[in-house]
Amino acid sequence: VCIHRVRSCSSIRFIKSKYVCVFDKSALKFSHQQRLFRTSAVSCGQIVQFKLSDIGEGITEVTVKEWYIKEGDSVSQFDSICEVQSDKASVTITSRYDGIIRKLHYSIDDIAFVGKPLVDIEIDASKGVASEEDVVETPPMSHEEHTHQEIKGHKTLATPAVRRLAMENNIKLSEVVGTGKDNRILKEDILNYLAKQTGAILPPSPKAEIVPPHRRAEAVPAAAKDKAHKIPVPVSRPIAFEGKDKTVPVTGFQKAMVKTMSAALKIPHFGYSDEIDLTQLVQLREELKPLAEMRGVKLSFMPFFIKAASLGLLQYPILNASLDENCQNVTYKASHNIGVAMDTEQGLIVPNVKNVQVCSVFDIAVELNRLQSLGSAGQLGTSDLTGGTFTLSNIGTIGGTYAKPVILPPEVAIGALGKIQVLPRFNSKGEVFKAQIINVSWSADHRIIDGATMARFSNLWKSYLENPASMLLDLK
């Protein structure tokens, strides 16, 4: 017998033959009697601990909200394992391995820590897909698993499956920021990069179907919507009288609010309020709504508010800046990532529309529709909730005219919009007419923003909204 390759797996040694030359019957008989010599691979399972990767933004712990697998289930790479919630966003964790789930390290609502094991997975050792730090009981890992690719003087770490996904989508790994350990590029990083390049919406976790905005609008009759707008609907919650106090931990978005508002108390707030006549903008929106609906997009007033704010920030960049903790340096942000406060079942969240300075009003409306759909389903990602540079809060959707908004550090300004009211006003001839009035309340960091700057910015923003055609002169 001519043997060309020998390799070992655990304590069992096998032979993979490329050529077998039989000289006589005794030699052939001998080869059948040896139980240790085989021509097929031996399957040797190894247990790996799948650890919670670094989610970014300084997050060190998350709450396990839902398991999509149980012990004994088979999983493949990129299958959803669980959904976790940090104080910034909900994230779906996917598997990096093919194998069988052997142990879940946490129960629902337990706190999981970054870098600690989530689950134990039994994988096939012959495939060599486990990283060294995850292996619990395994022979030495194949050197081919996590090869380092030299790109422009630095090394990029990714699994073969991730490299294949990048190659299929013509993505250079050097252009992708890795969020895994040691900047390892994960499948989620490739999908997020692809979504930013194409404008695609990433597939949601298997939790709730996202209803497109135009379908949701069609499902509610117009008369019912008008009635609902006039008559407040009480929130229906089950009333339980247990007769004793109950203590629950502060988690999720509540925990984020505690942290953010505690930091906001250090900022000396300056307040400024004004009213805006939206009569012309109301007429313009009514004309544009059917065109937007034909494209499957719901057009509200917020895209106009956001775009007008961005045009104002170009003239007053100090409002789109941040101040360091020692109050020694001011950073002027190049991008206008304007946040929009949303009231959801999970609490107050503030996703932001990225790069508004290069977006059209329609582009902003499309992105708002996406954020609102994901927000109502509790599926906003970390990238949607971080990186904001300026914020608008529309309290008018609930009620009220004026507010005292609190700045979201490290931002330096925020605006709160009241409800639109039909009120009598006088025109230039002294005649009374019916006007569509909205009130705005601004808060600014008085350490670097003075009252005159805030007032001038507000006047410019107001002029764009009261004369929406004037925005055409400054649109890029």
Side-chain angles (χ1 to χ4, degrees):
V1 180
C2 302
I3 301 170
H4 283 247
R5 190 186 311 167
V6 178
R7 65 178 180 177
S8 65
C9 178
S10 186
S11 61
I12 301 177
R13 186 176 297 264
F14 65 89
I15 296 174
K16 185 174 181 180
S17 303
K18 189 173 181 181
Y19 303 103
V20 178
C21 303
V22 180
F23 296 98
D24 54 36
K25 293 182 180 180
S26 61
L28 181 62
K29 182 178 180 182
F30 177 80
S31 67
H32 281 284
Q33 290 175 345
Q34 300 302 313
R35 302 291 296 177
L36 296 179
F37 290 85
R38 311 175 69 174
T39 57
S40 60
V42 177
S43 176
C44 290
Q46 66 182 14
I47 302 297
V48 298
Q49 290 185 331
F50 177 64
K51 299 176 181 178
L52 179 61
S53 301
D54 184 8
I55 300 176
E57 298 294 329
I59 297 172
T60 58
E61 62 182 46
V62 295
T63 303
V64 178
K65 302 303 295 182
E66 184 175 358
W67 286 106
Y68 300 132
I69 45 88
K70 60 182 182 297
E71 293 181 1
D73 285 354
S74 297
V75 294
S76 301
Q77 290 187 59
F78 312 139
D79 283 354
S80 296
I81 290 181
C82 65
E83 180 180 346
V84 299
Q85 186 181 68
S86 69
D87 57 0
K88 298 182 184 295
S90 295
V91 180
T92 299
I93 306 298
T94 58
S95 174
R96 270 186 256 159
Y97 310 118
D98 298 333
I100 300 173
I101 301 297
R102 291 305 182 196
K103 181 180 179 181
L104 305 182
H105 285 267
Y106 300 99
S107 301
I108 299 296
D109 293 331
D110 282 355
I111 302 298
F113 296 92
V114 171
K116 300 297 183 182
L118 273 177
V119 296
D120 289 353
I121 305 178
E122 180 181 342
I123 66 172
D124 187 351
S126 62
K127 295 182 180 180
V129 295
S131 59
E132 286 186 349
E133 70 268 13
D134 291 344
V135 176
V136 178
E137 303 169 3
T138 177
M141 182 188 64
S142 169
H143 182 65
E144 299 174 355
E145 200 300 347
H146 287 309
T147 56
H148 290 72
Q149 179 181 354
E150 291 283 351
I151 301 178
K152 296 182 180 179
H154 71 276
K155 295 180 179 181
T156 301
L157 190 61
T159 63
V162 171
R163 294 183 187 278
R164 183 174 64 252
L165 181 63
M167 183 180 64
E168 291 172 352
N169 290 279
N170 297 319
I171 296 175
K172 295 181 180 178
L173 291 179
S174 59
E175 298 176 354
V176 181
V177 178
T179 60
K181 185 177 177 61
D182 299 325
N183 297 322
R184 178 176 298 160
I185 297 176
L186 308 178
K187 179 213 175 188
E188 293 87 345
D189 301 327
I190 299 293
L191 294 179
N192 287 331
Y193 179 86
L194 187 62
K196 290 178 181 178
Q197 299 299 315
T198 63
I201 299 177
L202 296 183
S205 58
K207 182 177 180 181
E209 179 184 1
I210 297 177
V211 181
H214 61 278
R215 282 173 50 192
R216 188 179 300 158
E218 292 172 357
V220 181
K225 288 193 292 184
D226 293 341
K227 185 177 180 180
H229 180 73
K230 296 177 182 177
I231 303 176
V233 179
V235 179
S236 176
R237 289 193 179 97
I239 301 176
F241 296 97
E242 298 180 357
K244 58 182 179 180
D245 297 342
K246 181 173 66 173
T247 302
V248 296
V250 178
T251 59
F253 295 123
Q254 265 190 335
K255 193 171 185 178
M257 186 178 295
V258 170
K259 186 186 303 182
T260 303
M261 293 301 101
S262 297
L265 283 176
K266 303 176 183 178
I267 301 174
H269 283 55
F270 167 77
Y272 180 84
S273 300
D274 201 356
E275 72 170 33
I276 298 95
D277 182 358
L278 297 182
T279 304
Q280 293 187 38
L281 182 60
V282 170
Q283 295 174 356
L284 177 62
R285 174 177 170 265
E286 288 301 317
E287 295 174 4
L288 297 179
K289 272 179 61 178
L291 298 177
E293 289 176 357
M294 289 176 60
R295 303 185 190 183
V297 175
K298 179 182 178 181
L299 181 63
S300 65
F301 289 103
M302 276 307 289
F304 297 97
F305 298 154
I306 291 173
K307 188 60 184 180
S310 178
L311 294 175
L313 293 176
L314 291 174
Q315 302 296 323
Y316 300 96
I318 187 64
L319 297 174
N320 195 61
S322 64
L323 182 66
D324 66 3
E325 292 184 0
N326 298 323
C327 301
Q328 299 297 317
N329 300 288
V330 177
T331 302
Y332 291 84
K333 304 293 185 178
S335 299
H336 296 172
N337 299 338
I338 298 182
V340 181
M342 294 183 181
D343 179 37
T344 68
E345 294 182 358
Q346 291 79 31
L348 177 67
I349 57 175
V350 189
N352 58 82
V353 181
K354 299 289 194 296
N355 297 311
V356 177
Q357 76 279 2
V358 295
C359 293
S360 67
V361 172
F362 181 78
D363 293 335
I364 298 170
V366 172
E367 180 65 2
L368 277 179
N369 281 199
R370 184 185 75 86
L371 294 174
Q372 289 166 349
S373 297
L374 293 176
S376 61
Q379 296 171 359
L380 284 168
T382 305
S383 61
D384 295 322
L385 295 167
T386 56
T389 60
F390 185 88
T391 299
L392 290 176
S393 176
N394 188 8
I395 62 167
T397 56
I398 301 174
T401 52
Y402 291 97
K404 187 179 179 182
V406 180
I407 299 169
L408 301 176
E411 299 174 19
V412 294
I414 184 174
L417 307 171
K419 63 182 179 181
I420 299 177
Q421 304 177 87
V422 179
L423 298 173
R425 290 295 182 267
F426 291 95
N427 60 19
S428 58
K429 298 179 181 180
E431 300 169 343
V432 177
F433 71 99
K434 184 173 66 174
Q436 304 276 351
I437 301 296
I438 190 173
N439 301 105
V440 61
S441 304
W442 301 104
S443 289
D445 188 338
H446 213 355
R447 293 173 298 182
I448 59 173
I449 300 173
D450 55 63
T453 300
M454 190 73 253
R456 292 188 181 102
F457 168 82
S458 181
N459 289 337
L460 180 58
W461 181 76
K462 175 180 178 178
S463 68
Y464 283 132
L465 297 178
E466 291 189 337
N467 304 282
S470 65
M471 285 197 289
L472 295 175
L473 297 176
D474 295 324
L475 292 177
K476 304 297 181 182

